[in-house]
Amino acid sequence: MMHDRRLLLDAGNTRLKWAVVEKGQWLAHGGGRYDEPPEWLPFLQNGMPCYVASVVRDQHKGRLQEWLTSYAIIPVWLSSEVQFADLRNTYVDPKQLGVDRWMALIAARQRSQASTLVVSVGTAMTVDALSAGGAFSGGLIVPGMHMMAQALLQGTAHVIDVDGGDLQAFPQSTADAVRSGSIAAMKGAIRIQYEYLKQATGESPHCLITGGDAAYLLPHLDVPVELAPLLILEGMERVTREGESV
């Protein structure tokens, strides 16, 4: 039985983003935690195609399998490749590049042919550089906001108040100091890579930001940036659309 409908799952470390696409149209999309009933269940059809870009631990994979098996759906687990269209993966081991990063790069290339910095802010933050010629030049992996706070909580004896802090120029509480330090570290990583890419290409790069904490970090950035909350799913839609047309 042929299906016009596809389920796309962007399975991150802490949250699951999803989209249902039919005949080139996005029917619905959303996100949630792994311990919540998924909002996409009403859109499922028995045996329909499902594609997953996953960086999750095995327990979350098992939960996804349980939900899908009841509809006789066998998911296809996507992976990073050496090349897609004119986008080239120059990682030393291309398969080692996280599939979420690869899908975001594919979507970024689809949006613009200019040099682009692709920032994804979740459990970890990645900052990836894409040349105007279509080469993924490499990128950074930085702990995300909550991971930085937890590292301080676990690794120091007296940092105990890490929740609810605000960004301050000169923090005067531990919570504010942790939050301000985390934002400063993330801003710095983005700014440094922005300048590196600008120097390498001779032009100011386009900058896209996605991920669960992207909207929070966005107002604090000092480089021009565009919020693209569905960037990874956009890349998945392009890859799976081309795969099904072959």
Side-chain angles (χ1 to χ4, degrees), residues 6 14 16 34 48 52 55 57 78 103 106 109 135 148 155 160 169 184 189 217:
R6 285 172 286 149
T14 56
L16 178 69
Y34 291 94
M48 69 183 282
V52 187
V55 295
R57 52 182 68 93
L78 301 174
M103 294 299 150
I106 289 171
R109 187 64 178 170
M148 287 193 207
I160 57 174
L217 185 61

Side-chain angles (χ1 to χ4, degrees), residues 4-219:
D4 294 320
R5 184 174 295 185
R6 285 172 286 149
L7 173 64
L8 309 177
L9 299 176
D10 167 18
N13 284 294
T14 56
R15 289 182 61 81
L16 178 69
K17 292 184 179 179
W18 61 274
V20 177
V21 181
E22 184 170 287
K23 296 181 179 179
Q25 302 296 317
W26 292 60
L27 293 185
H29 60 82
R33 296 168 54 87
Y34 291 94
D35 57 0
E36 300 171 344
E39 296 177 338
W40 39 266
L41 284 179
F43 295 94
L44 297 189
Q45 299 172 339
N46 282 340
M48 69 183 282
C50 171
Y51 301 90
V52 187
S54 171
V55 295
V56 300
R57 52 182 68 93
D58 289 341
Q59 69 187 63
H60 292 328
K61 281 188 177 182
R63 193 73 185 274
L64 289 179
Q65 293 277 18
E66 289 176 14
W67 286 326
L68 296 171
T69 297
S70 59
Y71 287 85
I73 295 173
I74 300 174
V76 176
W77 301 85
L78 301 174
S79 62
S80 299
E81 304 293 342
V82 175
Q83 185 154 352
F84 180 84
D86 66 342
L87 174 64
R88 303 182 305 282
N89 183 351
T90 63
Y91 233 41
V92 173
D93 180 356
K95 291 289 185 183
Q96 195 178 55
L97 178 68
V99 64
D100 54 338
R101 295 168 69 187
W102 182 237
M103 294 299 150
L105 287 163
I106 289 171
R109 187 64 178 170
Q110 183 173 245
R111 281 170 167 253
S112 173
Q113 298 292 299
S115 61
T116 305
L117 200 66
V118 183
V119 182
S120 181
V121 193
T123 303
M125 181 180 78
T126 56
V127 188
D128 292 325
L130 178 60
S131 76
F136 163 53
S137 306
L140 302 182
I141 302 177
V142 180
M145 210 159 343
H146 301 292
M147 186 180 288
M148 287 193 207
Q150 287 303 311
L152 285 169
L153 182 65
Q154 295 169 11
T156 58
H158 299 292
V159 176
I160 57 174
D161 181 16
V162 297
D163 292 323
D166 294 314
L167 177 64
Q168 303 287 343
F170 301 101
Q172 294 181 316
S173 73
T174 300
D176 288 350
V178 170
R179 179 56 58 93
S180 300
S182 299
I183 293 174
M186 298 168 80
K187 282 178 60 178
I190 294 169
R191 164 56 75 178
I192 287 170
Q193 295 306 105
Y194 183 91
E195 292 299 331
Y196 280 160
L197 187 54
K198 183 177 180 179
Q199 291 171 17
T201 62
E203 61 182 10
S204 297
H206 187 47
C207 186
L208 297 168
I209 188 168
T210 192
D213 285 332
Y216 178 83
L217 185 61
L218 181 64

